[in-house]
Amino acid sequence: MREPGVALAGAIERDEGGLAIVTCPDLDLREWLVREVESLVSTSARAFRTASVREALDRPEHMALLIPVDEAEVVRELDACRDQALEPPRTQPIVLFLLRDGDGHRTLALEAPSAWSWASGSDVDPEQLAELDVEAERTVFCDETGEEPEAWLARWRGDEVPRTAEHYARAFWAFTLERR
Amino acid sequence: MKAWFDLYQQHTTLRHMNDREAANEVRQVFVRHSEEHYALFKRNASARLLEARDPRTSVTYTLTRDRAGEALTLDTLPEPTRRAVALKHARLTVLLRFDRKRDHLQELAVMLTGIRHDDTPLEFAVHLPHDLEEGKHPNGDRDGLGACGHAALHCHVAPTLDTEPKVRVPLPPLRPAQIVEWVLSQVVPTGEFEPAPWLERPRKI
């Protein structure tokens, strides 16, 4: 699986002063994703929350966490004013939070080619990436250890495996993948 | 025995927490320790706390995905901090398992594997065992004969985790981020990591 935190940090840092899009499944999770971004970024980014494109553009040395009230309108506004983000050059990105399958994404795909190209490659859906594919991960586990998670855990629970940090981590993962 | 029973109750109460909030607190510890001249981690260590959601309601956070742990950048610490550190290499592992629907911390392990300057190993391991009571683990987090010797949230410090006696030191009810801070403060003992408020308030004689 791709690491959601790494993908999120990568999208934000890919283009210094660029536009990154974080896709959120719903409004409740959007708030958590905003907090996650706040917890990930360096204090020197001086991240702040705003619902206004104008305010985001006016503070090029701060990371703007752009949380729209009207997603479609915000995307259109970004599309119209990309040039204003070039002068003075931004040193911190704008991070735009959009709902999955929402108006913002629809507008971005159909009406906002400039904003789409601005964000090109810097969009991420961390909640989707965090979804565990248990069967795929079981295959990886078997390839790495030569055993099914249940067989490895049986040896661990029987004190047949030395207690090391690495083995604790493997046991933790095996428990996650164990069939119950 | 009441104190030990109370501690067990506190550990049980501690388990009630929102996983996203707890993970964000841990990330903030990494961010704080990745900045300035005394950085202990490479940049983006906070991003490497891997969230994985299991369809059977649990969610896990692991640092790091490859099980080797996140390396501490001890060799780039400035003097005199570097000289004060007893380890030449160290790696940190964080494992958290939650039942998201219940806002419940099921299991925790924060482990630091180090090599001292004389090339001997040193391990720190803070554990909060899984409290699930099932066929393979009928006692949940109640190991041993009583709460005195077997506090649920406890720490081992030894050359290896198999070294006898396996000393099990009880810990107060600390949240995951506070445990990470405590483990780091044991290997990098500086005022910057561990500000001591009593230094600013001299003891009254």
Side-chain angles (χ1 to χ4, degrees):
Chain A
M1 70 183 285
R2 280 185 71 202
E3 299 188 27
V6 172
L8 187 56
I12 292 168
E13 291 175 358
R14 184 168 292 122
D15 182 11
E16 186 187 70
L19 175 66
I21 295 173
V22 178
T23 300
C24 319
D26 56 49
L27 289 173
D28 185 39
L29 285 174
R30 182 176 75 174
E31 171 58 26
W32 280 111
L33 283 168
V34 174
R35 290 192 210 176
E36 183 172 337
V37 171
E38 287 170 333
S39 75
L40 275 176
V41 300
S42 150
T43 47
S44 63
R46 290 178 289 171
F48 71 101
R49 297 181 182 206
T50 181
S52 153
V53 172
R54 174 47 46 208
E55 194 182 4
L57 289 170
D58 284 348
R59 298 170 72 180
E61 293 171 359
H62 295 245
M63 183 183 293
L65 307 180
L66 184 52
I67 308 158
V69 177
D70 182 336
E71 289 194 349
E73 192 51 41
V74 160
V75 169
R76 284 187 203 104
E77 230 181 304
L78 283 168
D79 192 58
C81 60
R82 181 183 179 181
D83 291 350
Q84 294 172 40
L86 301 175
E87 197 53 51
R90 295 190 66 85
T91 57
Q92 290 293 336
I94 296 172
V95 183
L96 173 63
F97 294 84
L98 294 180
L99 294 177
R100 194 186 292 161
D101 304 322
D103 288 346
H105 271 297
R106 265 193 298 280
T107 308
L108 198 61
L110 300 174
E111 300 174 37
S114 181
W116 178 250
S117 115
W118 187 5
S120 177
S122 297
D123 54 323
V124 62
D125 188 337
E127 281 296 308
Q128 198 167 53
L129 291 176
E131 198 75 61
L132 189 66
D133 183 341
V134 174
E135 288 312 312
E137 292 298 333
R138 283 180 62 89
T139 303
V140 172
F141 189 94
C142 292
D143 291 346
E144 285 177 359
T145 64
E147 288 177 287
E148 301 269 324
E150 293 77 11
W152 195 94
L153 269 178
R155 290 196 300 111
W156 171 260
R157 287 168 176 149
D159 281 337
E160 294 170 32
V161 181
R163 262 44 184 171
T164 64
E166 190 174 339
H167 288 154
Y168 267 105
R170 196 180 290 286
F172 183 87
W173 197 236
F175 185 83
T176 304
L177 302 175
E178 184 183 30
R179 292 196 205 285
R180 300 188 187 102
Chain B
M1 294 304 292
K2 186 171 181 310
W4 296 112
F5 180 75
D6 288 348
L7 183 63
Y8 180 75
Q9 295 282 64
Q10 288 167 25
H11 290 160
T12 302
T13 306
L14 169 75
R15 290 180 184 272
H16 182 70
M17 66 179 79
N18 179 286
D19 71 271
R20 297 174 198 272
E21 191 176 347
N24 283 345
E25 290 167 2
V26 172
R27 290 188 183 104
Q28 282 161 0
V29 174
F30 293 138
V31 169
R32 278 202 299 281
H33 290 308
S34 306
E35 296 181 336
E36 310 300 338
H37 63 287
Y38 52 83
L40 275 181
F41 297 102
K42 290 180 197 148
R43 271 185 70 250
N44 278 351
S46 56
R48 287 189 286 282
L49 185 67
L50 170 69
E51 177 186 347
R53 215 169 38 250
D54 172 354
R56 300 167 294 192
T57 78
S58 82
V59 58
T60 63
Y61 295 87
T62 55
L63 180 81
T64 55
R65 172 76 208 274
D66 63 6
R67 285 179 297 280
E70 181 77 17
L72 273 64
T73 54
L74 301 178
D75 51 347
T76 58
L77 285 171
E79 296 294 357
T81 308
R82 187 166 48 175
R83 253 178 307 175
V85 178
L87 303 177
K88 63 177 182 181
H89 299 298
R91 304 188 79 91
L92 180 75
T93 301
V94 177
L95 309 170
L96 306 172
R97 188 189 312 282
F98 294 87
D99 180 336
R100 179 168 277 175
K101 286 184 180 165
R102 291 170 54 217
D103 274 345
H104 186 77
L105 173 64
Q106 295 177 318
E107 181 181 5
L108 166 151
V110 177
M111 296 173 287
L112 188 134
T113 301
I115 301 289
R116 287 182 275 215
H117 293 294
D118 64 0
D119 289 326
T120 56
L122 182 67
E123 301 263 4
F124 284 77
V126 178
H127 292 148
L128 179 67
H130 204 305
D131 61 346
L132 178 70
E133 293 172 25
E134 54 161 19
K136 292 167 191 158
H137 202 223
N139 295 325
D141 61 357
R142 298 183 302 280
D143 290 335
L145 297 175
C148 170
H150 295 84
L153 181 65
H154 62 273
C155 172
H156 306 279
V157 183
T160 74
L161 296 178
D162 280 325
T163 304
E164 295 285 354
K166 293 183 182 177
V167 176
R168 188 168 160 138
V169 183
L171 288 180
L174 300 170
R175 288 173 67 84
Q178 295 164 334
I179 292 168
V180 172
E181 280 179 331
W182 177 76
V183 168
L184 295 176
S185 76
Q186 299 309 296
V187 294
V188 189
T190 77
E192 285 151 312
F193 295 121
E194 213 179 359
W198 54 85
L199 293 178
E200 293 163 13
R201 280 184 270 135
R203 187 175 296 174
K204 288 177 188 166
I205 299 171

